Amino acid sequence: MLLLNETLLKMAKGLWKWIVLIVCVRFINLLTVTYFAELMGGYLGSLFDPAMGIQQAKQAALAALGASLVMFVSQLLQGELEYRCTKEARESLRKRIFSKVMELDAGNIERIGPVSAVTSSVDAVENMQVYYSTYLPSLIFSLIASFFLFFRLKDRSLVSAVILLCVSLVLLPMNNIFRFKIENLRKVYWKSLDAMTSWYLDGIRGLTTLKLFERDQHHAEVLEERAEKLNRDINSFMKVNFTSFLVSEGLIYSAIFIVLLICVSKTVSGTMAVGDTLTILLLSYSYFSAFRQLMNATHSALTAVSAAGKTEEILNTDTGRVIDPDAKEDPEHYEGIRFDHVSFGYEGRHRALKDVSLKVPKGKVTALCGLSGCGKSTAASLMMRFMDPQSGHIYIEGKDYLSFTPEELRRNIVMVPQTVTLFSGSIRDNLLIASPQASEEELYDALERAGLKPFIDSLEKGIDSDAGENGSYLSGGQKQKMGIARALLSRCEYMIFDEATSSVDPESEQEIWKCIHELSLSRTLIIISHRLSSIQNADVICVLENGTVKEAGNHEELISHDGLYKKLCDEQRILEEALA
Amino acid sequence: MKKYSYSIHELVTRLLKIGSSIKGFLVISTLASVTGNLSHMGLMGFGAMWILCSSGYAEGNTVLYAVLTAVCGVLIAVCRYLEGVYSHKGAYGVLAAMRVDLFRKIDRISPAFLVERKMGDILNIAVSDIETLEFFFAHTIGPMFTVIILPVTSVILAWHFNPLFAIVLIPFYLLISAVIPTIALIAGKGIGMRYRESLGELKSVILESVYGIRDIQIYSAAKRKEQEVMKANEEVSKAAHGLVLHRQTVSSLPNLFVYLARIAIIMCATFLASEGKGDPVGTIAVSFAATASFSSTFSLTFVVSHLLEAFASAERLFLIEDAQPLVKEAADPKTISEVREIVFEDVSFTYPDSSEPVLEHMNLTLHKGEQTGLIGESGAGKSTISRLLLRFYDPDEGRILLSGTDIREISLSSLHERIALLEQDTYLFNLSIADNIAVSKPDASIEEIREAAKRAGIADFIETLPDGYDTQMGEMSARLSGGERQRIDIARVLLKNPDVIIMDEPTSALDVLHEKELLHTLKKEYGDAAVIVISHRMSSLSGCQKIYKLADRKLIPYIFESE
């Protein structure tokens, strides 16, 4: 029942005042419960006293009524305080986790898993609050209640008081003896839960594939095995878990029994009034309900701890970027972007870029091409500072990338990715992402230049039309054009098009290339494309292979000697001519 | 009340049928639950009697009461253990069986079912609804009995000492376990819903932020997204406030009445004493036992509301269970050895939930060794042709013949053996790459797998992975591009030896060189098979001898290459 989690405690800052208040209210409640029990015990004991009058009974009833009302109010108050506590916890935890998630780079998101990132920010936070609003107050309250009861009883029967105190103090760490075994079994059962769930969901998601390859029956058989294994593991976990409950409850009720035995013998010997004995029975019974509540709270606290474990991974991810305002300037003072012996590799994968040096001249069009996996998109991600090179330097207009924060850098350089993401909200909202202060005129200008004006005009609500969840009301081509309109609004000098047309219909493809061509007249463009015919007018074409720059030059230069570029061009030409 | 597609009687019968396999566990856990809660009453009641007897106020065997008190203490602990262990044993057992069962049922009505329903809905049923039923079996049935037996016992006990006690207690029990909970249920209906909805709202904001993180980072919009999230969070808190207030009222109000009940007993006793019919022993025993009878926090409403939820979940499950597969295998299915010719004869088709026909009187003949392209706007129904050929659906009119045999007469396994589909979006299972390729041929040797990967043009890529063919696809699959995924699918098909290969938008994510290589591979490997390529891009169809265009629900010859 003692479940102190470092991660959770660390994040409890600012919540302690609520926790203390909750404990206080619960203590008031305890005082009233005790008063009520004493009132009852005393009254019931005095029933045998012939002198007991109706007047006394009335008084006792009135006092009890008052006590009941106080208890009622204090319980409502406790609820309100618990809510205040969860509200604050919810806010601070969610803010912390979400802002951390937003700092993760692609590699980290992938390592943690996007689904896990979402559950950490949503469900885990909801689960973790219980630790602060219920578990911690219950724990503190149980401790206080133990001592309170001790002082209350010690004058009536010191031995009983000592026994009850000892039992409560033993109970707290009691479960921790089982904890080790429980934790181990829990791990086993979570592992099989994971194995079963992923197999199950995998089967449903990939059912068409399984069916077409006649593997569905086999999948169902394995599912059955895994479900059975999970069942066995859960049961062995539950057995130990409930055994620990059994021991705790055994202790509680043995204590009550022994205390009762002592009190009864005292009553027999005449050293204790019947009323007092009855009070002690009532008190010890309702007193241990605090412990039962704590046991229940421990259950939720376990969920909270496991939820915290998941978020821990995210919170502990190092997203700190090196920002060094004094980083050395480019010795070449190149006008544009320059990669100087840059290497980069994703964790657990071979180097995506090996010792790459390349130049993106300002005001010109630079194309990066090569086979898939050659490193061209990695180069673009580095230009956006989604991640940092492992070695080498990137300079922009003479300054080292490291001297800018990613935000500062991205005021100069923008990207239209392979698939533009639209967020739910209106088309206007989606444009304002790029430039929150953009005027009406600027918005329409961007739409016009991205070739979206006719489409927007055709909509009943125009620019205020809903884009749908994930922009589902727009076609793939229209989404890409939205990406261009956003990029225009950001007014960056450098624009990267990362396979911006690879997933759109041929007609949109043409329109987008037309738009890109117009842009090339006024800005620096970096175009990544596997379609060579679309980049042959570029001022510089860098051909990459296996993470290194193979060739660079303009189309005429590259085509004139027999390299990779010529080979790719020839093959593509044959292919496109075959069915012109 | 909501109208169910099944009568309550039918739902209950079917649920009980599911539960019948764990009957033993359910009986044990229910008995334990009832006994445990009765023991709480016993502990207090006998305890009080023990004190009274020992001090001479009541007549009775002191030792007997002491023993009974001890027995009750033991029973509380033991029953709690038994209830916990057996209710979970039963419920998780049923849960496991239901999952497997549901999987088989969905399997039976797929793939058509998967085409029509949103994956999110299906997963919801597969996960949440089944969990609701687990809760029903583990935590609803036991309390249902407890909630009835406990008050009845304590009323009988009270009656035994003096009917007046019983008469006073009955309204309290009614209030506490029926009236208050019912009002709470009605008042709380919208509150829980609002909380879940606001949480759903928050989830979708966070979900799109995580999936759209690249675009957010491009425009440094994280702060603005955070504001949006915090706004949604505010709504969650507001809804949670209602939830907490409701929960707290619902739990403290009965508590208040429990205390009032105890006071009422005293008043009663006082009244009886003044009438000269006082029985202090009875008063004390009733007072203590009644106090403990309220220890069970369950209420009728708790049971009823969970029952309603269980009914709703059961209904969705039964709808799947009772759905008939759209395609039935012939009673005496034929196997085919080789497909030389495919004929679509006057085929018309409309999707079951739609009124717009997709194909009308469509005719098409394909031959072995021929590469045929189908081009058309997206949404024109190109994929429908492959779905009909693979019998996801049967045509409404007309028929499809494979080498002269109607496909309705051919066994599905034979059909899947002869016809392979390369899907638009390749699903990768949470297995190693090697196992993902070997989905099509489980007994394939690693050499065969490597060979297939090589021929599919994915071998080089796999070699670059640190774990090679053993790389687990779980976390990695997101990093694979569409092209790489597609090539894994191609490797799968290459492990089989089909006569017909359908490629649905096969090269939309491949670059030129690989597209060419792929088409080349297909020609080389499957020169004598019938290849159908479906695409909106002409360049992907470059290897095809014949190209048809799908327009106006019909196929029209588009380009025919001269021999």
Side-chain angles (χ1 to χ4, degrees):
Chain A
M1 281 190 287
L2 211 50
L3 209 62
L4 298 177
N5 182 278
E6 213 184 318
T7 316
L8 284 167
L9 288 176
K10 249 194 272 170
M11 292 191 275
K13 233 186 188 175
L15 299 172
W16 286 109
K17 60 172 184 285
W18 297 116
I19 295 173
V20 169
L21 277 174
I22 294 170
V23 172
C24 285
V25 171
R26 286 188 68 172
F27 188 69
I28 293 172
N29 194 39
L30 178 71
L31 287 179
T32 335
V33 170
T34 314
Y35 176 66
F36 191 92
E38 280 169 350
L39 217 56
M40 281 288 154
Y43 175 78
L44 290 172
S46 68
L47 275 180
F48 298 99
D49 186 356
M52 173 84 182
I54 289 193
Q55 198 51 39
Q56 270 166 294
K58 254 190 194 160
Q59 259 169 10
L62 271 177
L65 191 67
S68 315
L69 287 173
V70 171
M71 277 186 264
F72 179 61
V73 172
S74 72
Q75 277 175 354
L76 289 184
L77 193 61
Q78 184 191 334
E80 177 64 21
L81 288 172
E82 281 179 7
Y83 161 71
R84 295 283 169 92
C85 180
T86 56
K87 179 176 150 68
E88 201 159 322
R90 184 183 281 124
E91 248 162 51
S92 72
L93 294 178
R94 196 153 272 146
K95 202 166 191 161
R96 223 161 132 172
I97 296 170
F98 181 74
S99 59
K100 190 80 187 182
V101 167
M102 287 294 106
E103 286 171 18
L104 297 175
D105 61 32
N108 277 323
I109 284 266
E110 200 174 284
R111 185 172 53 79
I112 291 158
V115 176
S116 163
V118 174
T119 24
S120 294
S121 330
V122 184
D123 307 298
V125 171
E126 295 299 302
N127 288 333
M128 280 153 70
Q129 297 151 17
V130 190
Y131 191 78
Y132 306 112
S133 67
T134 316
Y135 177 72
L136 284 179
S138 284
L139 183 68
I140 299 169
F141 173 70
S142 303
L143 269 174
I144 293 176
S146 308
F147 285 98
F148 173 74
L149 190 79
F150 174 78
F151 285 111
R152 202 76 201 181
L153 291 181
K154 78 175 172 27
D155 295 333
R156 292 200 176 97
S157 160
L158 187 63
V159 189
S160 322
V162 170
I163 290 176
L164 287 176
L165 182 66
C166 288
V167 168
S168 7
L169 293 182
V170 167
L171 271 176
L172 276 178
M174 182 76 222
N175 277 44
N176 293 42
I177 302 172
F178 287 91
R179 180 81 187 285
F180 186 68
K181 199 167 178 200
I182 289 181
E183 276 309 302
N184 273 341
L185 285 172
R186 178 188 295 277
K187 268 181 209 141
V188 170
Y189 118 63
W190 273 349
K191 227 172 118 189
S192 32
L193 179 67
D194 212 45
M196 193 286 300
T197 319
S198 77
W199 186 261
Y200 176 55
L201 297 181
D202 225 19
I204 290 183
R205 290 205 180 96
L207 194 52
T208 308
T209 309
L210 290 173
K211 233 179 143 80
L212 292 179
F213 289 121
E214 299 278 327
R215 293 293 283 164
D216 44 341
Q217 289 307 325
H218 170 258
H219 202 91
E221 280 156 25
V222 175
L223 178 65
E224 207 163 345
E225 274 164 35
R226 292 195 179 188
E228 265 161 31
K229 171 157 183 354
L230 170 65
N231 199 12
R232 280 196 305 274
D233 291 343
I234 286 183
N235 281 319
S236 38
F237 166 75
M238 288 292 171
K239 246 186 208 149
V240 178
N241 193 33
F242 282 105
T243 307
S244 80
F245 280 18
L246 182 70
V247 174
S248 311
E249 297 216 316
L251 261 178
I252 290 178
Y253 292 107
S254 313
I256 292 183
F257 185 76
I258 293 168
V259 165
L260 216 50
L261 203 63
I262 295 168
C263 293
V264 165
S265 65
K266 278 193 159 190
T267 322
V268 173
S269 65
T271 46
M272 200 170 188
V274 182
D276 279 346
T277 316
L278 290 173
T279 306
I280 290 180
L281 174 60
L282 273 178
L283 265 186
S284 50
Y285 183 78
S286 54
Y287 160 73
F288 278 113
S289 75
F291 271 90
R292 275 195 298 272
Q293 275 177 27
L294 178 61
M295 273 156 93
N296 288 337
T298 310
H299 219 68
S300 336
L302 278 171
T303 325
V305 168
S306 76
K310 276 185 205 154
T311 56
E312 207 175 358
E313 193 187 356
I314 293 180
L315 292 173
N316 289 344
T317 303
D318 182 20
T319 53
R321 307 295 287 272
V322 182
I323 292 148
D324 176 11
D326 305 320
K328 267 204 289 188
E329 293 200 352
D330 182 4
E332 288 188 20
H333 294 285
Y334 185 72
E335 264 298 290
I337 298 173
R338 190 169 82 87
F339 276 48
D340 184 24
H341 299 285
V342 168
S343 294
F344 179 83
Y346 287 106
E347 212 172 297
R349 245 194 169 188
H350 287 242
R351 285 270 173 92
L353 283 185
K354 291 174 233 161
D355 200 29
V356 165
S357 295
L358 59 83
K359 285 174 183 173
V360 175
K362 195 172 180 178
K364 300 270 168 69
V365 176
T366 307
L368 301 179
C369 65
L371 301 179
S372 67
C374 69
K376 51 191 193 287
S377 285
T378 310
S381 298
L382 285 170
M383 280 184 207
M384 286 301 297
R385 217 182 162 190
F386 288 147
M387 54 256 185
D388 290 335
Q390 277 148 354
S391 61
H393 292 275
I394 305 175
Y395 299 103
I396 180 165
E397 300 187 0
K399 293 220 175 65
D400 194 307
Y401 255 44
L402 297 183
S403 60
F404 299 100
T405 66
E407 289 71 33
E408 283 167 344
L409 189 72
R410 290 170 200 156
R411 280 199 279 273
N412 296 298
I413 182 161
V414 70
M415 175 191 257
V416 180
Q418 186 167 356
T419 41
V420 171
T421 312
L422 295 190
F423 301 100
S424 49
S426 66
I427 288 176
R428 181 196 298 276
D429 294 338
N430 269 293
L431 291 173
L432 289 178
I433 284 261
S435 165
Q437 278 89 39
S439 69
E440 201 73 5
E441 215 172 303
E442 288 169 315
L443 292 181
Y444 280 103
D445 181 55
L447 287 172
E448 169 92 61
R449 288 211 274 157
L452 273 172
K453 193 83 192 320
F455 167 68
I456 302 292
D457 287 342
S458 76
L459 295 170
E460 206 178 306
K461 285 190 193 158
I463 195 168
D464 290 310
S465 305
D466 191 11
E469 203 173 319
N470 296 323
S472 54
Y473 298 158
L474 274 71
S475 74
Q478 285 161 345
K479 277 191 218 172
Q480 293 306 106
K481 288 178 190 168
M482 279 292 287
I484 294 176
R486 274 182 187 167
L488 286 168
L489 281 169
S490 74
R491 306 194 167 280
C492 292
E493 167 60 30
Y494 296 87
M495 280 172 111
I496 305 174
F497 291 85
D498 184 5
E499 299 280 13
T501 60
S502 71
S503 53
V504 305
D505 58 290
E507 211 170 280
S508 310
E509 193 178 346
Q510 247 178 25
E511 287 170 17
I512 292 173
W513 281 114
K514 203 177 125 230
C515 171
I516 292 177
H517 176 71
E518 279 166 22
L519 280 170
S520 71
L521 304 175
S522 60
R523 267 163 233 256
T524 310
L525 301 188
I526 299 119
I527 299 173
I528 295 165
S529 174
H530 65 265
R531 254 191 106 169
L532 300 179
S533 59
S534 51
I535 55 162
Q536 57 184 348
N537 294 326
D539 300 292
V540 184
I541 299 170
C542 283
V543 190
L544 280 84
E545 191 181 32
N546 292 328
T548 55
V549 179
K550 207 78 188 161
E551 302 167 296
N554 63 27
H555 178 73
E556 281 70 34
E557 286 162 16
L558 290 173
I559 207 87
S560 64
H561 65 267
D562 219 6
L564 181 62
Y565 182 77
K566 185 170 188 303
K567 197 175 134 211
L568 288 171
C569 270
D570 287 347
E571 274 160 0
Q572 175 165 5
R573 190 167 32 82
I574 293 166
L575 200 68
E576 296 209 357
E577 275 170 8
L579 279 156
Chain B
M1 193 190 276
K2 199 178 138 259
K3 193 99 182 85
Y4 293 107
S5 312
Y6 299 91
S7 69
I8 297 282
H9 175 73
E10 206 174 337
L11 284 171
V12 172
T13 321
R14 288 177 73 163
L15 277 174
L16 286 180
K17 218 179 106 201
I18 295 175
S20 68
S21 61
I22 51 157
K23 215 164 31 193
F25 298 142
L26 286 180
V27 169
I28 294 176
S29 69
T30 306
L31 279 179
S33 162
V34 172
T35 316
N37 282 300
L38 283 176
S39 302
H40 274 283
M41 285 174 66
L43 179 83
M44 292 297 273
F46 294 134
M49 287 309 287
W50 179 22
I51 296 171
L52 294 177
C53 287
S54 64
S55 51
Y57 286 114
E59 282 169 35
N61 191 335
T62 313
V63 181
L64 178 71
Y65 282 122
V67 170
L68 284 174
T69 310
V71 168
C72 285
V74 171
L75 278 178
I76 294 176
V78 171
C79 286
R80 167 106 190 238
Y81 172 79
L82 289 177
E83 184 193 357
V85 169
Y86 283 96
S87 68
H88 285 95
K89 201 170 191 153
Y92 282 107
V94 111
L95 183 75
M98 278 195 303
R99 281 213 174 107
V100 177
D101 227 35
L102 181 69
F103 180 79
R104 290 191 194 276
K105 271 157 203 153
I106 294 180
D107 181 37
R108 209 166 47 95
I109 50 174
S110 294
F113 181 72
L114 300 171
V115 173
E116 282 151 35
R117 297 282 287 263
K118 277 198 208 138
M119 192 45 85
D121 289 346
I122 298 173
L123 291 178
N124 233 350
I125 294 172
V127 178
S128 314
D129 282 340
I130 288 201
E131 266 161 21
T132 307
L133 291 183
E134 184 263 328
F135 196 86
F136 168 75
F137 286 115
H139 306 289
T140 313
I141 298 180
M144 190 155 73
F145 286 96
T146 308
V147 107
I148 294 166
I149 291 178
L150 241 57
V152 169
T153 314
S154 99
V155 167
I156 290 174
L157 189 74
W159 189 278
H160 167 77
F161 283 110
N162 195 315
L164 189 64
F165 285 135
I167 292 166
V168 169
L169 274 178
I170 289 174
F172 281 104
Y173 279 115
L174 284 179
L175 258 172
I176 291 166
S177 45
V179 179
I180 297 175
T182 310
I183 296 171
L185 183 69
I186 296 168
K189 232 178 195 168
I191 297 176
M193 187 72 102
R194 202 159 62 236
Y195 172 69
R196 275 193 297 277
E197 274 173 6
S198 63
L199 210 56
E201 202 77 16
L202 174 77
K203 200 167 197 158
S204 66
V205 176
I206 292 183
L207 197 80
E208 55 170 32
S209 303
V210 170
Y211 282 97
I213 194 163
R214 176 173 290 244
D215 291 60
I216 291 173
Q217 288 180 345
I218 290 174
Y219 297 107
S220 304
K223 271 273 163 282
R224 259 165 287 151
K225 277 286 155 192
E226 190 182 301
Q227 280 163 13
E228 248 176 76
V229 166
M230 294 322 283
K231 220 172 92 194
N233 190 59
E234 190 78 15
E235 289 304 311
V236 173
S237 277
K238 259 188 222 157
H241 198 184
L243 204 65
V244 171
L245 283 184
H246 179 259
R247 189 197 64 206
Q248 209 59 24
T249 316
V250 164
S251 67
S252 14
L253 207 55
N255 220 345
L256 174 67
F257 280 102
V258 171
Y259 282 107
L260 293 183
R262 290 166 70 179
I263 296 172
I265 291 172
I266 300 183
M267 300 297 286
C268 235
T270 315
F271 169 75
L272 287 172
S274 72
E275 295 279 294
K277 285 178 263 178
D279 172 16
V281 177
T283 311
I284 292 170
V286 169
S287 169
F288 273 57
T291 304
S293 77
F294 294 109
S295 73
S296 159
T297 50
F298 300 120
S299 69
L300 260 181
T301 319
F302 168 85
V303 172
V304 170
S305 67
H306 282 289
L307 223 50
L308 291 179
E309 268 181 49
F311 285 159
S313 294
E315 183 190 30
R316 285 189 285 269
L317 275 178
F318 293 157
L319 282 175
I320 291 185
E321 193 170 327
D322 296 341
Q324 287 305 312
L326 292 173
V327 170
K328 283 205 186 69
E329 193 154 24
D332 180 20
K334 293 177 188 163
T335 53
I336 40 168
S337 51
E338 197 195 354
V339 180
R340 287 177 309 280
E341 188 195 49
I342 303 163
V343 180
F344 282 76
E345 209 176 77
D346 205 28
V347 168
S348 300
F349 181 72
T350 309
Y351 280 102
D353 290 329
S354 151
S355 52
E356 273 296 292
V358 188
L359 299 173
E360 264 177 337
H361 305 290
M362 184 205 90
N363 287 291
L364 176 67
T365 305
L366 306 162
H367 295 101
K368 218 181 150 185
E370 242 177 25
Q371 262 120 37
T372 310
L374 297 179
I375 198 160
E377 306 268 309
S378 46
K382 301 186 296 286
S383 297
T384 310
I385 296 175
S386 70
R387 288 179 188 151
L388 289 176
L389 190 53
L390 280 158
R391 279 200 84 197
F392 287 20
Y393 300 94
D394 281 331
D396 301 330
E397 272 174 67
R399 52 186 194 155
I400 303 167
L401 304 168
L402 292 188
S403 299
T405 313
D406 190 316
I407 60 168
R408 276 171 284 211
E409 291 166 19
I410 301 168
S411 80
L412 286 172
S413 68
S414 182
L415 198 68
H416 295 155
E417 187 64 39
R418 311 296 355 147
I419 305 175
L421 171 70
L422 292 175
E423 284 174 276
Q424 228 172 87
D425 197 9
T426 302
Y427 186 77
L428 294 181
F429 295 93
N430 190 9
L431 301 167
S432 68
I433 292 204
D435 288 341
N436 259 296
I437 294 175
V439 160
S440 55
K441 191 179 175 191
D443 53 353
S445 67
I446 184 70
E447 284 75 31
E448 283 178 90
I449 293 169
R450 280 171 192 278
E451 178 60 23
K454 205 170 145 200
R455 280 158 59 193
I458 183 80
D460 290 344
F461 166 75
I462 297 174
E463 303 290 341
T464 67
L465 298 172
D467 293 331
Y469 285 85
D470 294 326
T471 307
Q472 289 294 318
M473 281 292 93
E475 328 100 69
M476 284 294 291
S477 85
R479 189 176 292 163
L480 262 61
S481 71
E484 286 156 350
R485 300 163 83 93
Q486 223 148 34
R487 275 176 262 165
I488 288 185
D489 205 13
I490 291 165
R492 283 176 182 163
V493 172
L494 284 169
L495 274 182
K496 299 210 313 181
N497 196 20
D499 302 318
V500 184
I501 298 171
I502 309 166
M503 307 182 70
D504 199 344
E505 301 282 1
T507 58
S508 56
L510 295 190
D511 66 40
V512 246
L513 197 62
H514 278 108
E515 180 175 278
K516 186 180 156 67
E517 265 176 13
L518 170 66
L519 295 172
H520 179 74
T521 310
L522 282 171
K523 229 170 186 169
K524 195 173 82 189
E525 304 288 343
Y526 291 111
D528 54 347
V531 177
I532 305 165
V533 185
I534 299 171
S535 181
H536 67 266
R537 220 163 73 176
M538 279 306 280
S539 74
S540 310
L541 305 180
S542 62
C544 300
Q545 285 105 32
K546 289 180 188 169
I547 296 173
Y548 293 90
K549 186 172 181 169
L550 185 67
D552 294 331
R553 303 183 276 279
K554 276 188 186 55
L555 276 181
I556 45 172
Y558 193 56
I559 296 174
F560 277 65
E561 202 175 86
S562 47
E563 293 297 312

